[in-house]
């Protein structure tokens, strides 16, 4: 695989910081520019971030020395420097939509961590193990935008990255009819640390704005199908969620309940999880976990503190599978929200796009 030059748009934020760590010494992607708001433009990244560096590992030296460009004013210049950009900006939704389309129309592909374009019918929202074929809609999107190589591809919300991968291997054979998921979400999902979010200490906050709607609707796009020039959402399963913020640094946990058209045995579910793999595993993409779904037999697992970093934080952990009195089964899932759920999921999607020739 050839090396691709990439930029990080929104490099000063928490997800942008995670991109810096993941892309440092990446075998395929070479960071040549970083961008943020006009407040940070002109400074070295290490100075623009300063004390706001929220990762446990230090900022990569070479990336820290890059001069921050203006994400909005320098679109043409950035687009001329890179093969594509990762985008993780903190702006109003309409401004993000306009910004990402401006990069695409400047013939710069955008791999986005933002939610702004997740509902756009010709923008693929991809979990690479689940719906890699959705990238084929990019050709229709390029026709709409009038571009030769510019396009937008997005990753899904971090909250559903734990339970959707667990439900997916059960969909075709057993047909999930309904699911309930209560997610217990880490503070890094809000871009916070314990130092910057004192209200979460000794506390649980039972509301995260917009999160429940995303958690209920986005899986239906992931499980949808391409029809002509758009992705048509699936109509089943019926999903209901509640999303709570809990005092955990990283790792979203989900308590999941599911019913089926054809109820499987517990052994059949465990077998489906054990044997499930996808295109990233077949292609041996650099960021792909070797075993996507890990099941724990212990009653007290998975735990965020112990299990969020399995396979570099790119695997999903599952435990406590048992029959339920209201639904057919219930179980618990865990995924790392800033790795599999955010920057890592975007890097894996970019690897898929690169392997399929979308950046050539």
């Amino acid at each position: 695989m050839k090396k691709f030059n990439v930029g990080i748009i929104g490099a000063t934020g928490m997800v942008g910081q995670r991109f810096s760590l993941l892309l440092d010494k990446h075998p395929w992607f070479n960071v040549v520019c970083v961008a943020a708001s006009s407040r940070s433009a002109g400074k070295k990244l290490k100075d623009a971030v300063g004390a706001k560096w929220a990762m446990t590992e230090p900022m990569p030296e070479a990336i820290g020395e890059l001069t921050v460009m203006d994400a909005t004013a320098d679109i043409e210049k950035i687009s001329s420097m890179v093969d594509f950009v990762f985008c993780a900006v903190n702006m109003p939704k309409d401004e993000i939509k306009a910004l990402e389309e401006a990069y695409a129309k400047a013939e710069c592909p955008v791999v986005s961590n933002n939610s702004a374009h997740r509902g756009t019918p010709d923008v693929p929202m991809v979990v690479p193990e689940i719906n890699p074929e959705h990238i084929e809609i990019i050709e229709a999107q390029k026709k709409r935008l009038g571009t030769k190589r510019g396009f937008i591809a997005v990753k899904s919300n971090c909250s559903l990255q734990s339970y959707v991968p667990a439900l997916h291997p059960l969909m075709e054979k057993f047909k999930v009819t309904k699911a309930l998921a209560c997610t217990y979400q880490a503070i890094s999902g809000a871009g916070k640390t314990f130092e910057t979010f004192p209200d979460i200490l000794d506390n649980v906050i039972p509301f995260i704005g917009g999160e429940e709607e995303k958690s209920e609707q986005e899986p239906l796009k992931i499980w949808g199908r391409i029809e002509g020039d758009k992705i048509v959402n699936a109509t089943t399963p019926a999903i209901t969620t509640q999303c709570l913020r809990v005092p955990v640094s990283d790792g979203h946990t989900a308590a999941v309940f599911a019913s089926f058209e054809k109820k499987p045995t517990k052994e059949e579910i465990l077998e489906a999880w054990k044997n499930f793999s996808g295109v990233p595993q077949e292609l041996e993409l650099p960021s792909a976990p070797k075993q996507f779904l890990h099941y724990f037999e212990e009653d007290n697992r998975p735990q965020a503190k112990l299990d969020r970093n399995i396979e570099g934080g790119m695997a999903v952990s599952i435990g406590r599978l048992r029959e339920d009195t209201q639904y057919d089964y219930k179980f618990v899932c865990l995924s790392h929200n800033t790795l599999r759920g955010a920057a890592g999921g975007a890097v894996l999607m970019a690897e898929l796009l690169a392997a399929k020739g979308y950046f050539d």
Side-chain angles (χ1 to χ4, degrees), residues 271-291:
E271 190 72 13
W273 286 340
K274 180 181 178 182
N275 293 331
F276 180 70
S277 66
V279 170
Q281 286 72 37
E282 293 167 19
L283 296 177
E284 297 183 345
L285 299 179
S287 299
K290 287 183 170 54
Q291 179 72 36

Side-chain angles (χ1 to χ4, degrees), residues 280-326:
Q281 286 72 37
E282 293 167 19
L283 296 177
E284 297 183 345
L285 299 179
S287 299
K290 287 183 170 54
Q291 179 72 36
F292 183 30
L293 305 176
H294 289 248
Y295 185 79
F296 287 93
E297 296 287 351
E298 298 92 331
D299 286 340
N300 63 346
R301 303 283 286 276
Q303 293 181 27
K305 201 169 187 178
L306 299 178
D307 304 314
R308 60 193 169 205
N309 290 314
I310 287 175
E311 299 226 32
M314 292 297 288
V316 173
S317 299
I318 313 171
R320 302 205 67 208
L321 174 65
R322 60 223 191 273
E323 293 194 57
D324 183 60
T325 57
Q326 306 296 316

Side-chain angles (χ1 to χ4, degrees), residues 235-269:
T235 55
T236 57
I239 301 173
T240 185
T241 67
Q242 288 203 102
C243 300
L244 296 80
R245 190 73 72 193
V246 296
V248 171
S249 58
D250 294 302
H252 288 355
T253 299
V256 187
F257 302 76
S259 289
F260 301 85
E261 192 174 293
K262 179 188 173 187
K263 183 179 177 180
T265 65
K266 180 177 179 180
E267 289 70 29
E268 285 175 321
I269 293 175

Side-chain angles (χ1 to χ4, degrees), residues 59-261:
M59 181 184 291
E61 188 173 345
I63 295 176
E65 290 293 328
L66 293 173
T67 299
V68 179
M69 302 175 74
D70 189 315
T72 303
D74 293 332
I75 291 173
E76 292 293 335
K77 185 175 180 183
I78 292 168
S79 298
S80 71
M81 297 170 65
V82 301
D83 294 298
F84 70 95
V85 294
F86 291 100
C87 189
V89 293
N90 183 15
M91 297 164 61
K93 188 172 182 177
D94 287 346
E95 293 179 26
I96 294 173
K97 289 184 84 166
L99 181 74
E100 293 181 343
E101 284 211 358
Y103 275 95
K105 288 178 177 177
E107 300 295 357
C108 178
V110 179
V111 177
S112 177
N113 189 74
N114 303 304
S115 66
H117 273 291
R118 289 181 192 154
T120 305
D122 61 8
V123 171
M125 179 172 66
V126 175
V127 178
E129 285 88 352
I130 295 176
N131 62 331
E133 71 282 358
H134 279 197
I135 63 175
E136 294 169 16
I137 198 67
I138 285 170
E139 294 308 315
Q141 185 195 143
K142 288 195 289 190
K143 285 180 184 174
R144 174 176 65 84
L145 295 173
T147 60
K148 289 188 173 72
R149 66 182 302 274
F151 64 85
I152 302 159
V154 300
K155 57 154 291 300
S156 62
N157 188 261
C158 55
S159 63
L160 57 88
Q161 300 276 343
S162 53
Y163 60 88
V164 167
L167 291 173
H168 182 70
L170 312 175
M171 293 281 286
E172 187 174 347
K173 186 175 181 181
F174 306 112
K175 294 192 168 46
V176 181
T177 56
K178 62 178 181 176
L180 181 156
C182 292
T183 59
Y184 305 89
Q185 300 186 202
I187 61 174
S188 55
K192 302 286 189 180
T193 62
F194 288 117
E195 289 74 24
T196 60
F197 197 6
D199 289 353
I200 199 65
L201 296 173
D202 192 29
N203 200 12
V204 171
I205 299 174
F207 175 72
I208 306 171
E211 205 77 353
E212 285 156 6
E213 295 84 351
K214 295 172 191 172
S215 299
E216 292 171 359
Q217 291 300 314
E218 289 185 17
L220 300 179
K221 183 172 183 178
I222 291 169
W223 285 320
R225 66 191 183 280
I226 295 175
E227 287 188 9
D229 60 358
K230 61 185 177 181
I231 297 168
V232 177
N233 286 9
T235 55
T236 57
I239 301 173
T240 185
T241 67
Q242 288 203 102
C243 300
L244 296 80
R245 190 73 72 193
V246 296
V248 171
S249 58
D250 294 302
H252 288 355
T253 299
V256 187
F257 302 76
S259 289
F260 301 85
E261 192 174 293

